[in-house]
């Protein structure tokens, strides 16, 4: 039995999670499954969860850890309730606070220092475009990562067109960003991924967040940064 799919199906049916967060739950559980190499999800114990949280602390913020472990708690509560497991493995585990700290937007000079080091590899040039798109459009990271080549070509790379819920948003970008985006899509992208419509398909929110934090450290910024600090 695919316990992850059964859990997600049940959670959706009872209205516990909506479609927009369904894949986040799936990824959280599958990430944990990948961590416990050589062990089944049904055989997990308290020590496995503790070790996983310690590993998460190396890469993620308290908010992200809270969400990831909360996904696991919901999953194992379902397994316990349906009597698939006999013991709840997440006992007496203290989660990080999920209260968001107020964050001050990145200064232009900070953003420039980050962009200055994102110019060598394919991945760095890709990330640089994502950062600049976030800054110029004010759109959410999910909207940027869902951009498709066909939409960019339709507006000659001058307008970013996204569909958000019931709205269609059009944001004009600078000539310089338009030129760099076209060059990336038409010249660099085909060398890495053939016949792909989704521009940033290989990049996830969490992966981008980790990389962005890394750029901040390489740029020797004095404060901790995160993508939500990129403000137009």
């Amino acid at each position: 039995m695919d316990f992850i799919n059964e859990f997600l199906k049940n959670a959706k049916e009872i209205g516990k999670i909506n479609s927009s967060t369904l894949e986040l739950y799936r990824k959280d559980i599958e990430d944990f499954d990948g961590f416990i190499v050589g062990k089944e999800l049904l055989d997990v114990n308290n020590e496995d969860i503790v070790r996983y949280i310690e590993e998460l602390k190396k890469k993620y913020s308290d908010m992200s850890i809270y969400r990831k472990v909360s996904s696991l708690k919901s999953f194992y509560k379902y397994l316990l309730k349906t009597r698939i497991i006999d013991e709840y493995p997440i006992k007496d585990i203290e989660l990080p606070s999920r209260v968001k700290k107020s964050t001050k937007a990145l200064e232009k000079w900070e953003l420039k220092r980050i962009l200055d080091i994102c110019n060598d590899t394919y991945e760095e040039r890709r990330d640089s475009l994502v950062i600049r798109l976030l800054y110029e459009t004010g759109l959410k990271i999910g909207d940027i990562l869902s951009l498709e080549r066909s939409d960019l070509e339709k507006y000659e790379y001058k307008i970013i067109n996204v569909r958000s819920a019931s709205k269609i948003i059009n944001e004009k970008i600078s000539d310089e960003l338009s030129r760099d985006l076209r060059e990336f899509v038409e010249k660099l992208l085909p060398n890495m991924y053939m016949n792909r419509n989704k521009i940033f398909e290989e990049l996830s929110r969490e992966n981008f967040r980790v990389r962005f934090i890394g750029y901040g450290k390489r740029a020797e910024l004095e404060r901790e940064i995160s993508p939500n600090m990129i403000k137009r």
Side-chain angles (χ1 to χ4, degrees):
M1 180 184 293
D2 188 335
F3 298 111
I4 298 177
N5 276 334
E6 289 299 315
F7 159 69
L8 295 174
K9 180 181 177 182
N10 176 263
K12 188 174 182 180
E13 287 176 351
I14 64 176
K16 190 169 183 179
I17 56 176
N18 55 41
S19 299
S20 63
T21 57
L22 197 65
E23 288 308 309
L24 282 177
Y25 270 68
R26 179 189 299 279
K27 186 176 186 307
D28 290 340
I29 300 168
E30 289 180 346
D31 284 350
F32 177 63
D33 191 25
F35 172 77
I36 52 168
V37 179
K39 199 168 192 177
E40 298 295 330
L41 283 169
L42 302 188
D43 299 326
V44 164
N45 56 38
N46 192 262
E47 292 181 2
D48 295 320
I49 304 294
V50 171
R51 286 192 301 106
Y52 185 55
I53 292 175
E54 290 303 313
E55 186 65 24
L56 291 176
K57 287 179 180 178
K58 299 176 182 178
K59 298 180 180 179
Y60 299 102
S61 67
D62 286 351
M63 277 294 297
S64 295
I65 296 172
Y66 186 97
R67 194 206 74 227
K68 288 176 175 294
V69 180
S70 293
S71 298
L72 293 178
K73 290 179 73 173
S74 297
F75 175 63
Y76 281 107
K77 282 179 180 178
Y78 164 77
L79 296 182
L80 186 66
K81 184 178 179 180
T82 52
R83 299 185 178 181
I84 295 172
I85 60 175
D86 297 322
E87 293 187 16
Y88 183 57
I90 310 181
K91 296 177 182 177
D92 304 321
I93 289 182
E94 185 175 343
L95 290 177
S97 170
R98 66 173 179 176
V99 177
K100 288 186 178 179
K101 298 179 181 178
S102 59
T103 53
K104 183 181 177 182
L106 286 170
E107 301 285 348
K108 285 186 178 180
W109 68 266
E110 292 177 307
L111 202 59
K112 183 180 184 303
R113 282 177 62 171
I114 291 171
L115 292 173
D116 283 346
I117 62 174
C118 299
N119 53 18
D120 293 330
T121 66
Y122 165 85
E123 288 79 9
E124 288 178 356
R125 295 186 68 176
R126 174 201 64 199
D127 296 347
S128 173
L129 286 172
V130 173
I131 293 168
R132 292 165 66 190
L133 285 166
L134 287 169
Y135 179 72
E136 286 200 16
T137 67
L139 293 170
K140 296 179 179 179
I141 182 64
D143 295 326
I144 299 300
L145 296 184
S146 66
L147 287 177
E148 297 183 348
R149 177 172 183 162
S150 55
D151 285 333
L152 294 176
E153 292 174 340
K154 180 179 179 181
Y155 295 96
E156 298 183 340
Y157 294 88
K158 296 178 180 179
I159 292 175
I160 302 302
N161 176 271
V162 299
R163 301 162 188 82
S164 180
S166 59
K167 297 186 300 181
I168 295 179
I169 303 173
N170 292 299
E171 290 286 344
K172 192 175 185 304
I173 60 176
S174 66
D175 291 341
E176 183 181 2
L177 178 53
S178 173
R179 183 193 66 238
D180 292 345
L181 188 57
R182 180 191 289 270
E183 181 182 9
F184 177 83
V185 172
E186 296 182 355
K187 295 181 180 179
L188 295 182
L189 186 63
N191 290 332
M192 298 292 295
Y193 304 97
M194 292 295 295
N195 303 319
R196 196 175 76 179
N197 191 36
K198 200 169 182 180
I199 307 302
F200 306 114
E201 186 172 353
E202 77 279 9
L203 191 61
S204 68
R205 297 186 193 192
E206 289 294 351
N207 181 241
F208 174 70
R209 182 183 175 281
V210 171
R211 293 180 63 83
F212 186 72
I213 291 172
Y215 291 137
K217 292 178 179 178
R218 284 173 54 192
E220 298 183 343
L221 299 184
E222 294 182 357
R223 59 173 172 154
E224 293 185 4
I225 63 170
S226 63
N228 67 338
M229 297 167 70
I230 304 172
K231 304 292 184 182
R232 178 161 57 172

